[in-house]
Amino acid sequence: MSLTLEDFPHFVEAVHGHRPFPWQSDYLNKAAEMGSWPDMDVPTGLGKTSLIDIWLFLLAWQCATGQERSVPLRLFFVVDRRLVVDQAHEHARALQQALADAPQESLTGSVAQALRTLSGESTALEVVRMRGGVDWASRWLRSPAQPAVVTSTVDQYGSRLLFRGYHTSPRMRPVDAALCGTDALLAVDEAHIALPLLTTATDCAAYQQTASHSDLAHRGVQVVSLSATATADPARPRHGITDADRQHPVAGDRLNAQRRLTLWDASTLDKNPSLAFAQAAEQAVDTMLPLVARPVLGVVANTIRTARGAFQRLIVRDEIDVVLLTGRCRGLDRERLLNSRQMRELFEGISADRDRPLVVVATQTVEVGVDVSFGDSSARTRQLLR
């Protein structure tokens, strides 16, 4: 079965159960036409992690149609939040499993076969996670020809790109640097909080283009910025939403949702800023709970200390459930949290019939991409390619 760009929505539906948003299909077509990767200027909640699906499909499409390959073999999806790294990893794992299980005659099977042709291996896609608190093999790819998605924190990728990989032996550092910096697409998610990496990688890419050998210059790292906050060079091409997204039944609801802002000065409550915030948060929760359509509220703090202070003040109350969500916790605690009933509810959508209100106290982890829903649990609300 041959592949065409028009097959992309069907591929996404086969893997994820829903079709992509208009901007996602438009981005795929633009990247195919340009032969490069425009920066994403897309609002939060519209699925920037779909770049993984777009990269994979374009790679398979070029192989299946016999084109000279311009799509890199490896995608590094990098973000400076461990919880977001974990969710991007699960997204990539879902893709990996769908490719492994797909019947040969299906569209997904055709994508998988094209990727296997590239690697010469039985594995269509390798998925690796690099962040503190988890283990991965020092030889994390069996072959440099293997298509792979690597989700990583900023320091793990950046150190390897610059021949200084954390926990990497001197002998393996050049190998890791080559894998990270050659035939690789670096996607910096929430780029506004990772500007040093974005700048460094862009400089490395510019230097690689000066290589005397054309193949080396052509295969240098490619960098794409993913952010709802413009950060990259304004001269670079950018891709955003269109009227089709604003009129889309799911994307439109998110873009057009009513948002209100009330400023509350908490400085008079306590001289200690953390204690003042905790008191103000409790008062705000008491004020808001009777008014919200769903029995769930989010309390977002700027620091871990402030979040923990608010959590400690609220956790003693019997009439509400409280969960603390930060990016800094031990591995076992993280796994326990992610597998808890409250987190499953947040991932799937809160039921209106919940017995007690749920209050989520968090740091900017929930502002920069971790995919939790403070809305309902309907199938339409869950349609988020992220």
Side-chain angles (χ1 to χ4, degrees):
M1 179 178 180
S2 61
L3 294 177
T4 68
L5 296 181
E6 289 73 25
D7 290 326
F8 177 67
H10 305 287
F11 171 71
V12 172
E13 186 173 27
V15 173
H16 299 288
H18 57 83
R19 294 205 167 196
F21 293 144
W23 78 261
Q24 294 165 336
S25 295
D26 291 344
Y27 185 92
L28 174 120
N29 290 318
K30 183 181 290 187
E33 179 183 354
M34 295 174 56
S36 59
W37 304 87
D39 290 333
M40 286 186 183
D41 185 9
V42 177
T44 298
L46 290 189
K48 293 188 291 295
T49 311
S50 62
L51 179 67
I52 298 175
D53 305 79
I54 294 168
W55 160 82
L56 182 137
F57 190 85
L58 284 178
L59 180 62
W61 169 71
Q62 283 194 336
C63 179
T65 54
Q67 300 181 50
E68 181 180 357
R69 184 172 61 82
S70 61
V71 178
L73 273 175
R74 291 174 290 281
L75 169 62
F76 291 86
F77 194 92
V78 177
V79 59
D80 199 21
R81 291 290 185 272
R82 290 184 179 184
L83 282 173
V84 187
V85 168
D86 289 344
Q87 287 201 310
H89 176 72
E90 291 305 315
H91 184 101
R93 286 287 302 274
L95 265 174
Q96 181 188 44
Q97 194 62 49
L99 294 169
D101 296 342
Q104 187 173 357
E105 65 278 5
S106 66
L107 173 60
T108 308
S110 297
V111 172
Q113 184 55 41
L115 297 176
R116 293 188 185 104
T117 301
L118 283 168
S119 67
E121 302 282 348
S122 59
T123 301
L125 178 69
E126 194 69 60
V127 175
V128 181
R129 175 174 52 176
M130 291 182 178
R131 69 157 175 82
V134 298
D135 293 327
W136 64 90
S138 59
R139 298 182 182 272
W140 40 274
L141 278 185
R142 291 174 296 178
S143 165
Q146 174 67 59
V149 175
V150 182
T151 58
S152 172
T153 50
V154 167
D155 52 352
Q156 293 292 344
Y157 173 83
S159 64
R160 282 167 171 75
L161 178 66
L162 301 178
F163 293 81
R164 291 294 184 271
Y166 289 166
H167 310 298
T168 302
S169 68
R171 181 175 296 180
M172 288 299 298
R173 285 173 183 169
V175 176
D176 278 15
L179 292 172
C180 290
T182 306
D183 211 355
L185 174 63
L186 169 63
V188 184
D189 193 16
E190 303 299 340
H192 57 282
I193 62 172
L195 289 178
L197 175 65
L198 188 65
T199 302
T200 299
T202 301
D203 289 345
C204 288
Y207 179 71
Q208 287 175 300
Q209 291 174 6
T210 66
S212 57
H213 197 294
S214 60
D215 286 344
L216 292 177
H218 180 64
R219 292 299 179 192
V221 63
Q222 300 181 48
V223 184
V224 57
S225 163
L226 284 60
S227 180
T229 306
T231 57
D233 183 348
R236 279 181 51 86
R238 302 189 66 81
H239 183 81
I241 61 172
T242 65
D243 287 340
D245 297 288
R246 297 183 182 93
Q247 297 167 9
H248 189 274
V250 178
D253 283 351
R254 296 174 187 171
L255 290 168
N256 301 319
Q258 189 178 41
R259 298 166 176 85
R260 297 176 180 174
L261 175 66
T262 300
L263 297 178
W264 189 347
D265 184 3
S267 61
T268 60
L269 297 178
D270 198 289
K271 293 182 179 180
N272 185 311
S274 295
L275 295 178
F277 178 87
Q279 293 182 48
E282 184 175 31
Q283 293 177 19
V285 166
D286 290 337
T287 301
M288 291 296 298
L289 276 177
L291 306 177
V292 295
R294 296 281 161 180
V296 59
L297 283 176
V299 177
V300 182
N302 285 333
T303 66
I304 294 176
R305 174 181 293 181
T306 305
R308 286 174 176 167
F311 174 76
Q312 293 298 329
R313 189 174 183 93
L314 293 168
I315 192 63
V316 298
R317 298 179 50 165
D318 295 330
E319 73 276 17
I320 59 176
D321 292 331
V322 187
V323 61
L324 177 64
L325 185 59
T326 72
R328 187 172 298 175
C329 58
R330 295 176 299 179
L332 289 176
D333 293 334
R334 185 189 307 276
E335 295 301 322
R336 189 180 299 112
L337 172 65
L338 293 178
N339 292 324
S340 67
R341 178 176 64 89
Q342 290 93 338
M343 288 304 298
R344 289 198 300 271
E345 289 182 279
L346 288 170
F347 290 143
E348 298 174 3
I350 300 295
S351 170
D353 300 325
R354 199 180 198 281
D355 294 336
R356 299 194 301 180
L358 175 63
V359 178
V360 182
V361 183
T363 54
Q364 294 97 327
T365 287
V366 296
E367 293 184 273
V368 297
V370 63
D371 297 322
V372 296
S373 173
F374 293 102
D376 61 53
S377 56
S378 67
R380 198 175 86 168
T381 298
R382 290 202 305 270
Q383 288 187 33
L384 174 60
L385 181 60
R386 175 133 182 102

